[in-house]
Amino acid sequence: MHKILQFFYKFRVMFLFILLEGISLVLLVRNNKYQQTVYLSSANDFTARMYEWSSSITDFFKLKSTNAQLAAENAQLLNQINDLENRLVMAEERANGIENPRLPSENQLDYIPAKVINNSTNHLKNYITINKGALDGIEPDMGVVSSSGAVGIIKNVSEHFAVIVPLLNPTLKLNCKLKTSNYSGPLVWDGTDARYSDMKDIARHVQVQVGDTIITSGLSSTFPEGIAVGTVKICELDDSDMFHKIKVELATNFSTLTYVQVIRNANKKEQQQLEQRSTQDSNKK
Amino acid sequence: MLRTISINALRFILLILLQVLLIDNLQLSTMCNPYIYVLFLLTLPVDEPRWLDVILGFLIGLFIDMFSNTLGLHCFAGTLVGYLRYYVIKLFVDEEMRTTGTPGYETFGAIEYIKYVVMLVTIHHATLFALEAFTLTNGWWLIGRVFISSLVSSALILVASLFDKAQ
């Protein structure tokens, strides 16, 4: 017994080292799962308030470009209102003939505006922190867009803050499609350049041209269909390839991102429950 | 004793703030991610117990991780630097130079100090980027990233040490 204790004492530093490295690895692996604890991420109150404070200083120097961005966004919102009013008028007219006119279920959305308080583009796994949280109605898995296109998906939410997994993170595989041909595939970032991402799984028989627009596919309840993601920058196809190698120039400029909108889908829970029930039913049989 | 503790506590806080509020926001390129918080571990007193080196390495990594949402990554690299520091000092520095004091140009000698910094920073960055890339297989890109980032970090740390008159 004494000898065992002596042995442990002699190598105490090494045991401590191995123990701490073990803890680190466990944390690292657990962190890769989709949900993580809020306390040890930048959504916790202490770190987030620190970031808020620092971004309040840097904001001052960005006022000019931010104003320009807000103006552009206002214009876009006005266009949207216009468009919606037009649709309303048309719907009313149609309603004269149809008994129960109603908005399509997947279109019952609203947007929660939020401000980016921490953002990175130069890591392999980038994250964005925003200044809205559970109290503002934000929940994990909601989609996030900017005035120019898709941004990412909400990962963690605390009371006042939320963390987004942006397109610049290889763990996010956003389902997109080609606007012209409707073929869809996942968009995955390779970790090298914040301006470009790769689109996978587009079979070789599909016609792809440089400059084609890529939009969200609407196949998940996170993003509605048709939000801009980017344009095809390079498209390669070797004789032996099953799929096209497509490099997509992203619509959103992540290095200057300041304001974003979180999409709240009123019917999302209903859709997910229905889909879950269907898979459970088919598993039983 | 109290003086050493307060100086190092101050370094701990200042370097974390500098890292997460300034350096991480520079966003130079994916090839160049300097991590200068390693300076805290490099300038701990030489005669400090080794178990404290390891724990402090873990702690500073944990704080950096909390700010950058990379839980476990910097913990791992920090702990490793804390553990290997003793061996690297033993490797490069003469016995009479490494009994007391804070590592620096004067205490270690300029050449030895530079070797010591570059070696540990490179180990730290290589561990960090290799662990971060875990699933990617782009070897040359990884090597380039380690090389360039280590070079920039080492340069920043060596320049910072010139002005660090706290000891």
Side-chain angles (χ1 to χ4, degrees), chain A residues 240-264:
Chain A
S240 59
D241 286 347
M242 296 270 286
F243 302 108
H244 287 279
K245 284 181 196 146
I246 302 176
K247 199 124 212 131
V248 178
E249 186 168 15
L250 294 170
T252 305
N253 183 351
F254 283 89
S255 23
T256 59
L257 198 63
T258 317
Y259 289 91
V260 294
Q261 276 123 15
V262 183
I263 305 172
R264 182 159 49 185

Side-chain angles (χ1 to χ4, degrees), chain A residues 22-35:
Chain A
I23 293 174
S24 306
L25 279 182
V26 171
L27 288 175
L28 194 65
V29 172
R30 272 194 38 214
N31 187 35
N32 281 338
K33 286 187 190 161
Y34 201 63
Q35 289 296 337

Side-chain angles (χ1 to χ4, degrees), chain A residues 194-208:
Chain A
R195 288 170 300 168
Y196 305 107
S197 188
D198 296 314
M199 193 175 183
K200 315 269 186 199
D201 292 2
I202 298 295
R204 62 176 299 131
H205 65 85
V206 180
Q207 295 272 330
V208 182

